[in-house]
Amino acid sequence: MERKKFLVCVDSDGCALDTMDAKHKLCFAPLMAEKWKMEEHRKEAEEVWNRISLYSSGRGINRFKGLELALAECAARGFLQEDLTDLSAWLSQTDTFSNESLEHQIGETDSPLLKKVLDWSITSNRTIAALPPSRPFPGVREALEEMSRQADLAVVSSANRESVESEWNRHGLIAFVKEIMAQDSGSKVRCISRLMAEGYDSSHVLMLGDAPGDKAAAEKNGALFFPIVAGREEESWARLRTEGFERFLAGTYRGEYGDGLLEEFWEALK
């Protein structure tokens, strides 16, 4: 298939699909409290997780990085006794934050902590798979279909590949994208860089996301960022269709228009 002039990268959880809250509040957070035996402080532990991963500038952080931060805060609050050195060491060394990379590190170190982290991650995937079916935010399908006529689309997500592929296939969205890049593909910075290496000019690349990490990944590659504002997702997708995408194509996105969108984005994460 001939490459188009423009490329749009789309985050999945919390951006295109209404899956973010359920995965964190029903899976990642309670399982952290369970696996690290913090039942007596479950509510506080879950609040720590949710604030870091949903309601702060950390929104959208990779699950393993989020776990390190949440466990460290629980330890600082005095209701967790755990040496996190092995987890921190792996996170500082790996290029791929995935179960497969973690398994390799366990093979090298036989770390009890990392075995617990892997168990938590695998159990989380299993629990996520059992959640009620996700749904795209209103307007997502229409926007993807319209954009795909003039731009190549790619999913760039830090979520588990099996989960992302299943959800995008279930909702019939997979037909609009040229590629899915997930947790096993590396960081979002790396994924966007690999896509841009196919020949897209940085001014012709737009990243759609709901988290500061999406913004940072775009900017590190010189690309543009369109925020899907937390709590205002339907409005954001409508704005993308009616004005944002057209400005992107016309070369009038960067500057006053893009800066105005960012003000709303940051306000929602305070």
Side-chain angles (χ1 to χ4, degrees):
M1 183 182 298
E2 184 178 353
R3 179 181 64 79
K4 295 184 174 71
K5 180 179 180 180
F6 297 93
L7 170 69
V8 177
C9 301
V10 187
D11 179 44
S12 186
D13 288 0
C15 174
L17 301 181
D18 188 6
T19 55
M20 192 86 156
D21 283 7
K23 288 183 178 182
H24 286 279
K25 294 181 178 180
L26 302 179
C27 304
F28 292 129
L31 285 169
M32 177 189 70
E34 176 187 324
K35 299 294 184 183
W36 273 269
K37 303 187 185 305
M38 294 186 285
E39 286 88 349
E40 292 185 7
H41 301 274
R42 173 178 293 273
K43 182 178 179 180
E44 189 174 356
E46 292 183 5
E47 286 176 350
V48 168
W49 176 277
N50 292 330
R51 177 177 49 75
I52 289 171
S53 294
L54 289 174
Y55 306 123
S56 74
S57 60
R59 181 180 172 89
I61 191 172
N62 171 269
R63 68 173 69 176
F64 298 112
K65 291 182 177 181
L67 179 65
E68 179 192 28
L69 292 174
L71 291 177
E73 182 164 334
C74 290
R77 294 187 180 201
F79 53 86
L80 174 68
Q81 300 296 320
E82 186 84 56
D83 183 352
L84 303 177
T85 301
D86 289 350
L87 176 57
S88 299
W90 171 64
L91 289 172
S92 68
Q93 295 166 9
T94 187
D95 291 327
T96 307
F97 304 104
S98 66
N99 287 350
E100 292 74 20
S101 173
L102 187 54
E103 287 172 349
H104 176 77
Q105 186 76 354
I106 290 170
E108 295 285 327
T109 64
D110 198 36
S111 165
L113 171 62
L114 294 186
K115 290 178 181 178
K116 191 188 301 187
V117 171
L118 180 61
D119 177 46
W120 165 81
S121 182
I122 290 173
T123 307
S124 294
N125 286 348
R126 191 181 305 126
T127 308
I128 289 168
L131 289 172
S134 62
R135 63 178 182 85
F137 289 108
V140 167
R141 181 183 182 86
E142 294 81 359
L144 295 179
E145 184 173 10
E146 290 176 14
M147 291 190 298
S148 68
R149 299 189 187 113
Q150 300 182 75
D152 291 324
L153 307 187
V155 178
V156 176
S157 169
S158 60
N160 170 267
R161 173 173 292 278
E162 182 178 341
S163 173
V164 175
E165 290 182 344
S166 174
E167 289 163 345
W168 281 68
N169 272 296
R170 182 188 309 124
H171 297 297
L173 304 178
I174 197 77
F176 304 123
V177 304
K178 60 176 285 186
E179 187 172 355
I180 285 182
M181 305 188 83
Q183 188 183 80
D184 59 328
S185 302
S187 69
K188 291 182 179 180
V189 174
R190 183 180 178 187
C191 290
I192 296 173
S193 176
R194 285 171 53 190
L195 288 165
M196 289 176 62
E198 297 177 19
Y200 301 97
D201 184 272
S202 61
S203 64
H204 296 159
V205 179
L206 181 67
M207 175 74 195
L208 313 182
D210 64 301
D214 301 316
K215 173 181 176 292
E219 291 180 345
K220 287 180 180 178
N221 283 288
L224 300 167
F225 172 66
F226 185 92
I228 302 300
V229 179
R232 296 167 56 185
E233 293 86 358
E234 182 175 358
E235 178 185 335
S236 296
W237 280 96
R239 177 180 284 181
L240 175 67
R241 290 181 64 197
T242 58
E243 58 186 44
F245 185 62
E246 290 303 318
R247 280 183 170 272
F248 168 57
L249 297 179
T252 60
Y253 186 95
R254 198 184 301 272
E256 183 178 353
Y257 178 77
D259 292 344
L261 296 180
L262 285 177
E263 289 181 13
E264 298 177 26
F265 174 67
W266 289 121
E267 184 65 29
L269 294 179
K270 285 184 179 179

